[in-house]
Structure formats: structure tokens, C-alpha cells
Amino acid sequence: MDAIVIAGGVPEPGEPLYEYTQGISKALLEIAGKPMIQWVLDALTGASTIQDVIVIGLPDNDEFVCPKVASCLPSQGDMIANVRAGILELLRLKPDASHALVASSDIPAITHKMVDWLVDKASHSNEDAYYNVITREVMEKRFPTSKRSYIRLKDVEVCGGDMNVLATRMVSADDAVWGKLVAARKNALKQAALMGFDTLILVMLHAITLEAAAKKLTKRLNITGQAILCPYAEVGMDVDKPHQLEMMRADLSQQQSA
């Protein structure tokens, strides 16, 4: 499988990380001696299941090293356009590519083991989307001060991951589907509302399971997909706020010195 790394975020004045970035890409923030994106690229480089990598959001690779990078494209303006551009570039390079691993550049704690695990999980069927979710128990055991937001379902309480697998045929999905998915990515109630008002009520009452929620969501979006319970908190530990940046700097520095 090939991978697409989304690195297009540049914090603006007033946003939480602007005091650290001052107009540069969030992907280039220094963490334990490396640009944040380098940690993600190192994981993809070490993964035996990943062939080529496409980076979206950083048009040149002077800031990072990755022997698997086949193409670097500038940001297309938003998450939807960046993911689509990545898939289109992959299809240009490999017209027969069926799926791609899509990872955010702000999950620096991932490892090649986690990448290989997800690709293996997605290799046993042919869904449009494989979406990682992490339980609150797993996340808070590994990162007790992460302050992630969760959605509570009947059987489990979860947050979303930032490394998933998409079918390349998803590039032809209409803008409404992509817009809904991206708008809901960080908001638990918006995610529930995508499934319908009745399902939103069930979620608010904690009366629906993860499996049932996934079925309703994919049906409403007219796609196929699976929600995968991911055992790795690192997949959901994105750097959005200053305390998360400092937390990851300390965590990865400690790992380097161990």
C-alpha cells in the first residue's frame, strides 16, 4: 500500500499553536530534535507494508528526509482538497492503486509497527474507508494529560484516530460527503448528527453501539466502511494545542534517551 501524509496546516494568529509556528507549517514544529513530520515519515519508512509516500502541504523536501517520498505537493487549501489531491497524485503515479493509508503529519508518536498493523487490518476486505477509533481507557493509560474529547456510545467511549485507510475510488465521492466527514472529524456530536437526528438522540442517550453507529454512518454517506478499535493511543495523539506539543516533546525525548 502507498501512503499520503497531510501536512498543510499553518496556524493563524489567535489559534493555539501560532505562538510556536509564527507563520510556518505546523508539520515543521521541532519535536525532540526533528520536524514533527519527520517522526511520521520515519514510521512510514520503517513500515514493511508501505511502498511510496506522497506529502501534501510541503512543496519541497528540504526540511525532511524520506527515501519513500515519490511526490510533494503544496497545500490545496483545506483538508478535503488535500486528501483528494493526494489520491489523484497517487492514481497518476499508480493507476491501479486501490487504497491508500492517509496520515496526518501531527501524530509524531506513531511507529512502523502501528502502520503495519493498520494496513494488515485493511487488507482483509474491500471497504471504502477504515477509520481508527481509540478507547478512552487506551488513550488515558498512555497519555493521561492529553485532554482529548470523546464520544460515549452504549458499549465504549472513543476518540478518533488520525491515520486511516481510504479507497482511491473515494476521490469521486461528491463534495457533500467529504465536507461532512471533515467538518465532523473533531466534534463528537457532529459525528453523531451525520447519522441522522434519531441516531444523534441515541448517542446522546448512550444507547447505540460502535458497530451500529458505524453502519448508520456509512449508510447515510452512501459508502462502505469499518470503525476499527485501535490498540495504539499514539494514532490518536495529534498535536493541536501547546500542552500537547510540550507533552509530545517530553515523551519522545524520553524515548530517545531510553
Side-chain angles (χ1 to χ4, degrees), residues 170-209:
M170 283 285 287
V171 76
S172 62
D174 64 44
D175 287 335
V177 170
W178 288 91
K180 288 177 182 178
L181 287 171
V182 173
R185 191 171 68 91
K186 294 290 185 180
N187 187 298
L189 289 182
K190 285 184 180 179
Q191 290 169 358
L194 282 179
M195 306 172 208
F197 182 75
D198 57 333
T199 308
L200 175 59
I201 296 300
L202 290 174
V203 169
M204 292 177 70
L205 295 174
H206 318 313
I208 189 171
T209 66

Side-chain angles (χ1 to χ4, degrees), residues 41-226:
L41 293 173
D42 287 349
L44 295 172
T45 299
S48 61
T49 55
I50 297 299
Q51 296 178 335
D52 291 330
V53 176
I54 295 168
V55 176
I56 305 293
L58 296 175
D60 60 65
N61 62 356
D62 291 343
E63 303 288 344
F64 57 83
V65 177
C66 179
K68 292 185 177 181
V69 169
S71 187
C72 296
L73 299 178
S75 175
Q76 306 299 300
D78 58 47
M79 175 76 74
I80 301 171
N82 283 340
V83 173
R84 277 183 157 175
I87 294 176
L88 287 171
E89 178 67 3
L90 174 59
L91 289 173
R92 184 186 72 82
L93 297 172
K94 298 183 178 182
D96 295 331
S98 65
H99 288 79
L101 181 144
V102 180
S104 170
S105 63
D106 64 353
I107 44 173
I110 64 168
T111 67
H112 64 87
K113 177 182 177 181
M114 300 167 195
V115 174
D116 286 335
W117 174 86
L118 176 57
V119 174
D120 178 69
K121 280 287 184 182
S123 68
H124 299 292
S125 58
N126 189 28
E127 309 286 359
D128 290 324
Y130 299 84
Y131 182 65
N132 269 315
V133 294
I134 300 99
T135 67
R136 183 170 197 149
E137 179 182 13
V138 167
M139 179 60 71
E140 294 189 349
K141 181 178 180 180
R142 175 70 174 86
F143 299 110
T145 61
S146 61
K147 298 182 181 178
R148 289 301 310 269
S149 58
Y150 300 89
I151 182 169
R152 181 179 295 177
L153 302 171
K154 183 177 182 180
D155 57 338
V156 69
E157 193 172 4
V158 296
C159 64
D162 285 274
M163 182 172 68
N164 304 291
V165 172
L166 293 179
T168 56
R169 59 180 175 266
M170 283 285 287
V171 76
S172 62
D174 64 44
D175 287 335
V177 170
W178 288 91
K180 288 177 182 178
L181 287 171
V182 173
R185 191 171 68 91
K186 294 290 185 180
N187 187 298
L189 289 182
K190 285 184 180 179
Q191 290 169 358
L194 282 179
M195 306 172 208
F197 182 75
D198 57 333
T199 308
L200 175 59
I201 296 300
L202 290 174
V203 169
M204 292 177 70
L205 295 174
H206 318 313
I208 189 171
T209 66
L210 177 63
E211 182 179 1
K215 286 181 178 178
K216 281 182 173 288
L217 176 59
T218 53
K219 182 178 180 180
R220 188 170 182 85
L221 293 173
N222 196 30
I223 63 173
T224 63
Q226 291 182 17

